[in-house]
């Protein structure tokens, strides 16, 4: 249907984004074989939080899922293995600057939303592509608030205080401390729907949202996990992000029943897949990617019906 407004919304979840990529790998193959379109061509709006912002940005820029997966497998050990968050933050920044160079939001061929948390104002901040997405202050709108893609993603991924440093951004549009978008919307679908309605003027029944989570796994406690057990509120950060995602999904289900929404997220109690936000073992990452592909098979009929 030509009046469909198709949104790809990707949850946060650290290294578990590799699970998201397993699902997307199969979806991409289906689209290319049956509709002669890739993910970038199929969807009209992309939204991502934290690790989802990296994946959404790459897809929007035209990366194939297999290429994104290879980059994840190679980058995660250097980013996630250091014990000190200062080093992890530096490695993340170095990777993002190398991958996205000095690209700004004008580089995106389609609209995107990258969700972070403005700690200064205690609310969300969403980096967007064009003025049509602005819900206010259109006369002074600048794509991505004048930030580079790398800066916006770093802010969205800054799981402060435990895993990464907060991101300070100061320019003519922003003067704030920004942290992980998972604190306000680990599942960014609600903001994507609001944008489709208010900015793109779509009716609820025209909106089709494919929302992909990062899976629910047995939590692995490595050295870091053992060290943080004494700080109870920090030790449950992964659970908090997952609860945030589920709460947003429940809200959407009850309040926006006219929206065509499909959430894909699976749970496993397999001990061999026990993992954490900081996973960097390449063999484990490959297994989690395969579990994502298995999740596609589990929901295959629903996904295919949704896509066509």
């Amino acid at each position: 249907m030509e009046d469909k407004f198709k949104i790809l919304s990707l949850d946060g979840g650290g290294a578990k984004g590799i699970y998201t990529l397993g699902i997307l790998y199969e979806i991409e193959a289906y689209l290319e074989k049956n509709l002669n379109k890739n993910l970038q061509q199929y969807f009209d709006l992309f939204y991502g939080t934290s690790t989802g912002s990296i994946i959404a940005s790459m897809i929007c820029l035209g990366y194939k899922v297999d290429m994104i997966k290879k980059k994840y497998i190679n980058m995660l050990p250097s980013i996630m293995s250091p014990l000190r968050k200062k080093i992890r933050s530096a490695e993340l920044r170095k990777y993002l600057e190398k991958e996205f160079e000095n690209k700004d939001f004008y580089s995106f061929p389609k609209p995107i939303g990258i969700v972070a948390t403005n700690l200064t104002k205690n609310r969300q901040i969403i980096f967007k592509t064009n003025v049509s997405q602005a819900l206010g202050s259109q006369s002074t709108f600048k794509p991505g608030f004048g930030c580079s893609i790398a800066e916006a993603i770093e802010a969205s991924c800054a799981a402060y205080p435990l895993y990464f440093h907060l991101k300070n951004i100061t320019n003519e549009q922003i003067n704030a401390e920004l942290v992980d978008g998972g604190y306000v919307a680990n599942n960014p679908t609600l903001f994507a729907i609001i944008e489709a309605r208010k900015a793109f003027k779509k009716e609820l029944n025209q909106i089709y949202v494919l929302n992909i989570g990062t899976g629910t796994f047995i939590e692995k406690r490595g050295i870091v996990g053992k060290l943080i057990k004494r700080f109870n509120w920090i030790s449950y950060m992964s659970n908090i992000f997952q609860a945030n995602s589920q709460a947003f999904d429940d809200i959407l289900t009850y309040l926006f029943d006219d929206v065509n929404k499909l959430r894909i997220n699976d749970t496993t109690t397999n001990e061999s897949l026990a993992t954490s936000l900081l996973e960097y073992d390449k063999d484990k990452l490959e297994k989690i990617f395969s579990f994502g592909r298995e999740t596609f098979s589990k929901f295959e009929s629903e996904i295919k019906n949704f896509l066509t």
Side-chain angles (χ1 to χ4, degrees):
M1 294 174 57
E2 291 299 321
D3 61 351
K4 281 186 178 181
F5 187 79
K6 301 177 292 295
I7 301 171
L8 180 63
S9 172
L10 305 179
D11 285 15
K16 291 183 289 185
I18 198 74
Y19 166 83
T20 306
L21 288 170
I23 299 170
L24 287 170
Y25 180 83
E26 295 293 339
I27 291 174
E28 179 182 67
Y30 173 78
L31 288 174
E32 290 180 344
K33 181 178 180 180
N34 295 279
L35 301 181
N36 198 29
K37 289 185 177 182
N38 58 33
L39 290 166
Q40 181 207 57
Q41 294 167 330
Y42 180 82
F43 289 99
D44 301 302
L45 173 64
F46 301 85
Y47 250 75
T49 296
S50 196
T51 194
S53 73
I54 301 176
I55 299 170
S57 294
M58 288 182 166
I59 291 173
C60 191
L61 288 170
Y63 286 65
K64 297 272 290 182
V65 174
D66 189 52
M67 177 59 70
I68 303 173
K69 180 239 183 174
K70 289 177 181 176
K71 290 180 180 293
Y72 257 64
I73 296 290
N74 290 328
M75 78 172 180
L76 287 174
S78 63
I79 295 173
M80 300 302 194
S81 61
L83 290 178
R84 296 176 60 194
K85 65 181 180 181
K86 180 178 181 181
I87 300 176
R88 288 198 293 270
S89 296
E91 288 296 319
L92 174 63
R93 184 178 305 113
K94 183 168 69 175
Y95 169 78
L96 293 174
E97 289 176 349
K98 178 181 178 182
E99 186 62 42
F100 296 99
E101 300 174 321
N102 61 349
K103 290 186 176 72
D104 58 22
F105 276 65
Y106 289 102
S107 300
F108 287 118
K110 285 190 171 183
I112 192 170
I114 293 176
V115 180
T117 303
N118 186 330
L119 201 60
T120 305
K121 294 185 176 181
N122 297 319
R123 58 169 299 163
Q124 77 279 357
I125 180 170
I126 305 176
F127 298 85
K128 301 179 180 182
T129 313
N130 57 60
V131 69
S132 64
Q133 295 172 266
L135 301 181
S137 302
Q138 291 191 343
S139 60
T140 57
F141 176 87
K142 283 192 175 182
F145 297 107
C147 296
S148 68
I149 295 173
E151 286 179 309
I153 293 175
E154 184 184 352
S156 183
C157 293
Y160 175 85
L162 177 62
Y163 299 123
F164 295 92
H165 278 294
L166 50 76
K167 175 70 174 177
N168 290 292
I169 295 182
T170 301
N171 60 31
E172 64 181 38
Q173 292 211 323
I174 303 177
N175 185 356
E177 295 178 327
L178 308 183
V179 296
D180 200 292
Y183 291 112
V184 289
N186 200 56
N187 174 350
T189 303
L190 178 60
F191 291 128
I193 291 174
I194 291 171
E195 188 165 308
R197 286 283 292 124
K198 300 298 183 181
F200 294 100
K201 310 301 181 185
K202 301 299 179 180
E203 298 297 328
L204 289 177
N205 62 5
Q206 292 179 290
I207 301 171
Y208 286 70
V209 187
L210 178 61
N211 171 224
I212 303 178
T214 53
T216 303
F217 302 83
I218 296 173
E219 191 73 14
K220 180 180 74 174
R221 292 194 179 278
I223 295 175
V224 174
K226 293 174 183 177
L227 288 174
I228 65 174
K229 283 180 71 175
R230 69 189 70 177
F231 305 108
N232 290 334
W233 69 275
I234 296 177
S235 66
Y236 295 117
M237 185 178 289
S238 178
N239 291 18
I240 290 170
F241 285 169
Q242 288 184 15
N244 179 300
S245 288
Q246 188 57 53
F248 270 71
D249 189 57
D250 290 343
I251 291 169
L252 291 167
T253 299
Y254 289 112
L255 293 184
F256 292 98
D257 54 355
D258 287 337
V259 171
N260 302 280
K261 178 183 68 68
L262 178 62
R263 176 170 172 80
I264 304 299
N265 195 60
D266 203 5
T267 299
T268 179
T269 56
N270 187 335
E271 291 280 357
S272 69
L273 293 176
T275 189
S276 71
L277 297 173
L278 297 179
E279 184 64 67
Y280 58 86
D281 179 84
K282 290 188 176 182
D283 289 337
K284 178 67 67 67
L285 293 169
E286 289 283 2
K287 289 178 181 178
I288 295 171
F289 178 80
S290 294
F291 178 57
R293 296 183 65 182
E294 292 169 12
T295 296
F296 171 87
S297 297
K298 181 176 179 180
F299 294 94
E300 187 167 2
S301 61
E302 295 166 70
I303 294 172
K304 288 180 177 179
N305 287 337
F306 182 83
L307 294 174
T308 55

